[in-house]
Amino acid sequence: MKNIVIEETNKVLSANGGLLFFYSLFDRLDLAQKLDSFLPDLRRTRGISQVDKIKSLLFSFASGSDCLDDLNEIRNESLYSELCSGGISARAMGDFLRSFRFNSIDKFRDFLVEQSLQMRMAIHPDELNFILNMDSTPHEQDAKKMEGLAWNYKNMWCLDSQNAYDQFGFSYDFDLRAGNTFSAEGSEVMVRKVFKKVPKHLKRYFRGDSAYGRKTLYDELINANVKFTIVLRENLAKRVRQLLSNKNSMEWIKTELKFFDSDECETASGLYPIKDLAGGLKHLRVVFIRAQKKDIQLSLLDDLCENGYAYYSIITNLEEVEMDNEKVIEFYRGRANAENFIREQKNGFDFHHFPCQKLDANRAYGLIGTLAYNMTRFLSFFISKNGCFSKKVRNKLIKIPCQVVHHARKLIIRFNKKTKEVLEEILKIMTHKLSKFRLHSD
């Protein structure tokens, strides 16, 4: 066993030296000025500014805090306190969140789209495909009186949120609502908010599950010049298959794609007529994949085509010359990654729970947390070309020991030599990427 001796030091130390990355990113994105334009007015002249309150919560998320009470502890951390003007108590943060009203929340959502695009374009400037994946998720709560709590269709006592991510994991919107809200409610507004900000030179795509299979959303996407793939609910898909079969307009072809763990699958497609579609369209294409059911006994009255197979049906405005049936199915399957990003926000930023009784306060908390998630996601691409989860970002880039020194009216942060070299190189690359994008976008 090693002989360990504990000694004291008068030096001011910090375990979160990597907060310097967040501080620099906050500055390079010009978040202070942008946030100040729509945050609630300061009620009292004393105390830290509204922007510093946002910064306190952002940096708290970055360091791994997962509730408001953690603010009381982390404000005693030396570097965090220096970068956040002393930090803020949990009670004061609760008051700040409760000061948000609809107008500030709506502007925050617009701001989130812009910031997500700026970070995405800085990291992936040459990617010309913009793929938006939308999904909703429940947030189960133990509280009894929290505004918006309701039983959902899974019999969960919860709030619900609608989320929109691109293929790189950046979140473009977070809409917290009552727990019994239908998944696709408000999807048209969210689609409009996001795609009106997307640069016109990017090819636009959308992927959604069966909850988003409704004409109002089809119209919104078509008007925004977006190519979409959305799963059809099975009751509707069955009617579409019957309609196309009666017209003898479907041909089933064997495919190497797997479905329901079967190697014996077939694909087909047909045109489904829909009245009064946007853009003067008369129909949408529906792509099917099916696999024969195993260990099933059919009666003489059963329809072999319907009852003997398991189906998956995708409605799209992609023409066959753009994507054949197999490519449409493979493209849609990429939507599943959105569930990983939702899981990351829930686990990495504790979006399982929300701290306030008022729904608007929790919406504000969720939007600030989503901004912190995006900033962490941005930093993750300096660790891996495909990005990584927040736990790895914190371990490699945030939880870095340092010494905090005041000298000649300057804040000096001291690292060991090798760590300093790595930090400076990342900061140099980050500054270059963000400044390059700003020049391009101007």
Side-chain angles (χ1 to χ4, degrees):
M1 183 175 178
K2 291 186 177 181
N3 185 18
I4 298 175
V5 178
I6 300 176
E7 294 184 350
E8 66 181 39
T9 178
N10 292 326
K11 295 179 179 179
V12 179
L13 306 176
S14 171
N16 295 298
L19 286 178
L20 185 62
F21 289 123
F22 254 67
Y23 186 82
S24 179
L25 186 55
F26 191 93
D27 178 61
R28 299 298 176 187
L29 292 172
D30 196 21
L31 295 187
Q33 182 177 350
K34 293 174 182 176
L35 287 165
D36 193 51
S37 66
F38 61 81
L39 290 179
D41 294 333
L42 189 64
R43 294 180 179 179
R44 296 184 297 178
T45 55
R46 59 191 177 94
I48 67 174
S49 69
Q50 302 291 72
V51 170
D52 280 330
K53 291 174 185 176
I54 290 271
K55 188 189 292 184
S56 296
L57 189 52
L58 280 175
F59 286 27
S60 175
F61 276 122
S63 62
S65 301
D66 54 15
C67 67
L68 292 189
D69 285 344
D70 288 344
L71 290 168
N72 294 329
E73 300 298 326
I74 197 171
R75 66 188 304 201
N76 297 318
E77 209 276 343
S78 56
L79 183 58
Y80 173 90
S81 181
E82 292 287 349
L83 299 180
C84 299
S85 303
I88 185 174
S89 68
R91 182 174 180 178
M93 180 58 73
D95 291 338
F96 172 63
L97 293 173
R98 285 187 288 272
S99 69
F100 276 80
R101 298 294 182 266
F102 174 82
N103 190 45
S104 293
I105 291 170
D106 194 54
K107 289 181 178 178
F108 204 136
R109 291 176 63 186
D110 289 333
F111 158 81
L112 190 64
V113 176
E114 295 172 0
Q115 294 311 126
S116 303
L117 277 169
Q118 185 173 356
M119 286 186 274
R120 172 225 160 90
M121 297 291 287
I123 291 293
H124 299 285
D126 300 322
E127 175 56 55
L128 297 180
N129 292 328
F130 180 87
I131 305 172
L132 191 70
N133 304 293
M134 193 173 289
D135 204 357
S136 67
T137 186
H139 303 265
E140 195 167 11
Q141 307 292 312
D142 295 322
K144 301 298 181 184
K145 296 183 179 180
M146 185 184 288
E147 188 177 20
L149 286 179
W151 297 103
N152 72 355
Y153 71 101
K154 293 182 178 178
N155 203 32
M156 296 172 63
W157 181 245
C158 63
L159 297 173
D160 186 85
S161 69
Q162 187 157 243
N163 306 268
Y165 302 91
D166 69 9
Q167 67 267 43
F168 302 112
F170 289 106
S171 175
Y172 291 79
D173 203 354
F174 176 84
D175 183 21
L176 191 69
R177 61 260 181 103
N180 58 356
T181 306
F182 178 66
S183 296
E185 186 171 322
S187 58
E188 295 85 359
V189 174
M190 187 174 285
V191 161
R192 195 178 312 130
K193 277 180 176 291
V194 174
F195 282 109
K196 76 177 180 181
K197 304 281 187 180
V198 175
K200 292 182 179 179
H201 71 278
L202 298 181
K203 296 179 181 179
R204 305 164 171 215
Y205 298 92
F206 176 91
R207 297 184 289 211
D209 64 19
S210 60
Y212 298 93
R214 56 188 196 176
K215 181 180 175 298
T216 52
L217 184 57
Y218 302 157
D219 288 340
E220 191 68 47
L221 291 166
I222 292 169
N223 287 331
N225 195 28
V226 179
K227 299 295 185 179
F228 59 84
T229 56
I230 299 173
V231 169
L232 282 181
R233 288 188 290 272
E234 182 53 27
N235 58 345
L236 176 58
K238 184 176 181 179
R239 294 203 302 269
V240 174
R241 288 195 298 270
Q242 291 172 344
L243 173 66
L244 297 177
S245 296
N246 291 338
K247 293 182 177 181
N248 295 318
S249 57
M250 280 203 308
E251 180 184 0
W252 291 97
I253 301 173
K254 285 190 175 182
T255 176
E256 293 183 358
L257 295 177
K258 289 187 177 181
F259 177 60
F260 281 156
D261 296 325
S262 173
D263 294 324
E264 300 293 328
C265 297
E266 297 175 312
T267 63
S269 65
L271 298 179
Y272 172 45
I274 302 177
K275 292 182 179 179
D276 303 321
L277 268 176
L281 298 180
K282 302 298 182 183
H283 54 256
L284 292 174
R285 176 181 169 208
V286 181
V287 177
F288 305 96
I289 184 171
R290 71 179 185 181
Q292 194 164 7
K293 294 178 181 178
K294 299 177 182 178
D295 302 324
I296 184 173
Q297 292 184 344
L298 300 176
S299 70
L300 293 175
L301 299 178
D302 286 331
D303 183 345
L304 176 61
C305 287
E306 280 300 325
N307 298 325
Y309 289 86
Y311 289 89
Y312 208 65
S313 311
I314 300 170
I315 192 166
T316 181
N317 60 343
L318 286 161
E319 300 292 340
E320 195 152 5
V321 293
E322 297 174 284
M323 284 191 193
D324 62 27
N325 292 345
E326 290 187 347
K327 288 182 179 179
V328 167
I329 294 166
E330 289 179 322
F331 174 76
Y332 175 79
R333 284 175 170 173
R335 190 204 69 87
N337 212 23
E339 297 179 7
N340 292 328
F341 303 139
I342 288 175
R343 194 176 298 113
E344 161 67 354
Q345 278 192 271
K346 283 186 171 183
N347 296 334
F349 297 81
D350 196 24
F351 273 31
H352 290 290
H353 307 102
F354 287 87
C356 301
Q357 186 172 341
K358 292 292 185 181
L359 184 57
D360 279 347
N362 286 327
R363 284 173 174 149
Y365 179 84
L367 287 167
I368 297 168
T370 301
L371 178 57
Y373 160 82
N374 280 337
M375 294 170 73
T376 306
R377 186 71 185 166
F378 177 86
L379 292 175
S380 76
F381 289 100
F382 292 93
I383 298 175
S384 166
K385 66 177 183 179
N386 295 320
C388 57
F389 291 140
S390 59
K391 182 177 180 179
K392 191 170 186 178
V393 175
R394 292 182 180 118
N395 288 337
K396 285 188 170 290
L397 295 182
I398 304 297
K399 299 296 182 182
I400 303 174
C402 66
Q403 181 186 355
V404 181
V405 180
H406 284 278
H407 179 71
R409 297 184 179 182
K410 293 181 180 179
L411 176 64
I412 301 172
I413 307 171
R414 290 177 177 161
F415 302 91
N416 69 46
K417 183 178 179 180
K418 185 167 181 61
T419 300
K420 177 178 176 290
E421 291 173 355
V422 173
L423 290 176
E424 288 178 336
E425 182 64 22
I426 293 176
L427 287 171
K428 180 181 177 181
I429 296 172
M430 184 172 73
T431 300
H432 173 71
K433 286 181 176 292
L434 289 170
S435 61
K436 184 179 179 181
F437 171 71
R438 279 202 297 270
L439 289 171
H440 174 73
S441 62
D442 291 339

